[in-house]
Amino acid sequence: AMQDLQGFQQKAQAMQKALALEKVEINHNGVRIVMSGDQMVHEIEVDGAMENRIAEAFAQAIRKTQEIAAKKLLEMQEQ
């Protein structure tokens, strides 16, 4: 069981690294967002002005939700 968990963690880390290399850029109603596949926000621009405060807050919120998801996943695996 421990070996399975380690294998799962290694696969998850490899997937995270692969996703981090993917970039998505969305332009909608004067808002441009650049985000990587691992859901990290790299840029937010509103009407041509960089909005780093929004990007940083958004990145923190996503990190928090990822921590919650990881914790829930571990809880489910322990049952």
Side-chain angles (χ1 to χ4, degrees):
M2 190 60 149
Q3 228 174 358
D4 291 343
L5 183 58
Q6 286 176 333
F8 179 77
Q9 286 174 328
Q10 287 174 344
K11 286 179 184 173
Q13 287 172 346
M15 172 68 87
Q16 196 77 357
K17 285 179 185 174
L19 287 171
L21 298 175
E22 300 290 329
K23 291 277 193 287
V24 174
E25 182 175 330
I26 302 296
N27 288 286
H28 183 75
N29 289 341
V31 177
R32 183 176 78 88
I33 298 177
V34 179
M35 193 173 198
S36 51
D38 59 352
Q39 299 182 325
M40 296 308 293
V41 178
H42 295 276
E43 292 178 39
I44 294 181
E45 208 174 272
V46 179
D47 296 328
M50 290 297 290
E51 293 290 348
N52 290 331
R53 291 179 305 157
I54 296 172
E56 289 165 8
F58 204 85
Q60 285 179 7
I62 289 172
R63 253 193 309 278
K64 195 76 170 163
T65 61
Q66 288 173 339
E67 288 171 11
I68 291 167
K71 188 176 168 185
K72 292 284 183 198
L73 189 60
L74 282 175
E75 287 172 4
M76 289 174 61
Q77 287 180 341
E78 289 171 359
Q79 291 177 354

